[in-house]
């Protein structure tokens, strides 16, 4: 660090530094959770679902505006001057340079903070299921570009946004490199504010039967092709027998929530192949995951799971708000080794996409 506490381009972030920044992003998540719940309880669930605007990546609802305002106010009040940061966030167009301290030039930025203030908006605004605040930090090389890519992320925090009937909410975080304290998981009593630590533990099961294994196809566009790919995967993994095949799916309309289900041991794998079917067989566009939806995948990988592209390579996309992201997330490396060839073969059979 230099005399102002900033990280120089040639100096990798140290553990103490990352842990301090992790505490700040956890505080941001808590602030968003408290304000969203306050607004919901005061205005009613129905008021949260009004369409507030459109951006290149998605529809913005009233509930999203509440959380975006919290982000802007929180960074202005709490982000340390020694860590100049650029914010990349759903709801802010990519050509907008939003930096803190306010007015920091691109060449002075040392961190990218990518944020999805509410991942799972549609679940939460109908009070169906919890949503998540996702936030992650990546150091910037210092060449004036003020940008980074998903594999550069060093720190990620997930904060659960509860439904009205939940009494507890989880907050989990991870820093790259593991070791003691690499992953932190806390369950918070929403009445008292008291938190209890727990262990985030993906399943160690190495097959798919009698477990939850899902491919994302919750929306109409592209569903036919996606279901064809999925059927091929199951035919390769679980041969047909006299009785039905016991593999269950869960269409959790929330990419961060899907990854959390794998990290917490409830799902064995989730896959999102939606970008691969866009432009094929009459499918013009498909609403896909974006980098902010998967920015907290580090929590899964540091917990022992696997996050990769559909062929087993890194998910290497820029930290922006528009790039489509296809991914597979597995509970453990052994399961990934079993399922990965079936996914690659199905993509080649149905879409004609050969393995990388």
């Amino acid at each position: 660090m230099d005399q102002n506490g900033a990280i120089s381009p040639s100096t990798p972030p140290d553990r103490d530094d990352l842990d301090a920044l992790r505490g700040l992003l956890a505080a941001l998540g808590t602030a968003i959770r408290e304000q969203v719940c306050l607004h919901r309880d005061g205005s009613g669930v129905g008021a949260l679902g009004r369409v507030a605007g459109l951006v290149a990546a998605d529809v913005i609802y009233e509930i999203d505006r509440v959380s975006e305002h919290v982000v802007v106010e929180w960074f202005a009040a709490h982000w340390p001057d020694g860590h100049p940061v650029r914010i990349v966030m759903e709801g802010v167009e990519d050509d907008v340079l939003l930096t803190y301290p306010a007015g920091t030039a691109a060449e002075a930025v040392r961190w990218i903070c990518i944020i999805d203030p509410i991942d799972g908006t549609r679940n939460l605004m109908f009070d169906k299921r919890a949503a998540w605040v996702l936030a992650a930090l990546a150091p910037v090389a210092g060449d004036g570009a003020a940008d980074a890519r998903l594999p550069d992320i060093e720190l990620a925090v997930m904060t659960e946004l509860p439904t009205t009937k939940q009494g507890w909410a989880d907050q989990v975080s991870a820093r790259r490199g593991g070791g003691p304290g690499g992953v932190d998981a806390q369950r918070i009593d929403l009445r008292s504010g008291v938190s209890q630590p727990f262990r985030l533990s993906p399943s160690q099961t190495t097959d798919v039967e009698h477990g939850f294994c899902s491919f994302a196809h919750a929306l109409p566009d592209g569903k036919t092709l996606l279901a064809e790919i999925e059927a091929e995967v199951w035919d390769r993994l679980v041969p047909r027998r006299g009785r039905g095949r016991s593999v269950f799916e869960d269409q959790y309309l929330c990419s961060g929530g899907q990854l959390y289900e794998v990290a917490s041991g409830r799902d064995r794998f989730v896959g999102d192949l939606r970008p691969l079917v866009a432009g094929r067989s009459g499918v013009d566009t498909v609403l896909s995951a974006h980098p902010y939806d998967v920015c907290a995948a580090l929590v899964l990988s540091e917990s022992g799971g696997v996050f990769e592209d559909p062929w087993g390579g890194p998910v290497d996309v820029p930290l922006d708000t528009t790039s489509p992201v296809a991914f597979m997330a597995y509970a453990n490396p052994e399961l990934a080794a079993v399922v990965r060839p079936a996914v690659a073969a199905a993509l080649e059979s149905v879409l004609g996409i050969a393995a990388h």
Side-chain angles (χ1 to χ4, degrees), residues 142-175:
D143 59 2
D147 57 15
R149 302 184 70 84
L150 195 69
D152 298 325
I153 286 173
E154 293 282 345
L155 169 67
V157 179
M158 303 179 65
T159 303
E160 189 174 13
L161 299 175
T163 62
T164 55
K165 65 182 181 181
Q166 280 184 242
W168 298 77
D170 292 351
Q171 185 173 72
V172 296
S173 62
R175 53 172 162 70

Side-chain angles (χ1 to χ4, degrees), residues 16-250:
D16 290 343
D17 209 51
L18 286 173
D19 283 341
L21 295 174
R22 171 158 60 178
L24 287 171
L25 292 189
L28 168 64
T30 298
I32 293 174
R33 187 191 71 225
E34 290 175 348
Q35 285 302 309
V36 166
C37 290
L38 185 65
H39 188 85
R40 178 194 63 198
D41 296 343
S43 302
V45 171
L48 302 178
R50 290 194 294 264
V51 175
L54 299 171
V55 295
D58 209 345
V59 178
I60 301 299
Y61 294 94
E62 181 65 29
I63 188 174
D64 294 308
R65 291 299 187 212
V66 173
S67 59
E68 289 164 13
H69 291 156
V70 175
V71 171
V72 171
E73 294 172 359
W74 187 92
F75 270 88
H78 300 289
W79 193 255
D81 290 349
H83 296 277
V85 64
R86 179 185 180 187
I87 306 301
V88 175
M89 179 171 71
E90 183 184 26
V92 177
E93 302 289 0
D94 286 336
D95 59 357
V96 174
L97 185 66
L98 180 61
T99 58
Y100 295 91
T104 298
E107 58 269 18
V109 166
R110 291 296 175 264
W111 294 97
I112 297 294
C113 184
I114 184 166
I115 304 172
D116 192 343
I118 303 180
D119 184 28
T121 296
R122 294 157 182 82
N123 292 298
L124 196 64
M125 71 190 191
F126 289 106
D127 207 28
K128 289 176 68 68
R129 197 167 185 176
W132 293 85
V133 181
L134 310 177
L137 277 173
V140 174
D143 59 2
D147 57 15
R149 302 184 70 84
L150 195 69
D152 298 325
I153 286 173
E154 293 282 345
L155 169 67
V157 179
M158 303 179 65
T159 303
E160 189 174 13
L161 299 175
T163 62
T164 55
K165 65 182 181 181
Q166 280 184 242
W168 298 77
D170 292 351
Q171 185 173 72
V172 296
S173 62
R175 53 172 162 70
R176 188 173 299 281
V183 176
D184 181 69
Q186 300 288 329
R187 184 154 292 159
I188 301 151
D189 186 325
L190 297 173
R191 291 173 289 268
S192 68
V194 174
S195 63
Q196 297 181 3
F198 68 98
R199 184 169 178 262
L200 203 60
S201 180
S203 171
Q204 296 305 300
T205 304
T206 58
D207 62 50
V208 297
E209 287 197 275
H210 308 290
F212 279 92
C213 308
S214 306
F215 290 92
H217 50 71
L219 301 173
D221 295 324
K223 186 184 289 282
T224 300
L225 274 177
L226 291 166
E228 190 176 346
I229 295 167
E230 183 178 1
E232 286 243 5
V233 171
W234 298 135
D235 285 345
R236 294 173 185 278
L237 289 178
V238 188
R240 295 178 184 271
R241 295 187 288 269
R243 58 179 175 81
R245 292 173 287 186
S246 296
V247 181
F248 318 122
E249 75 168 14
D250 177 14

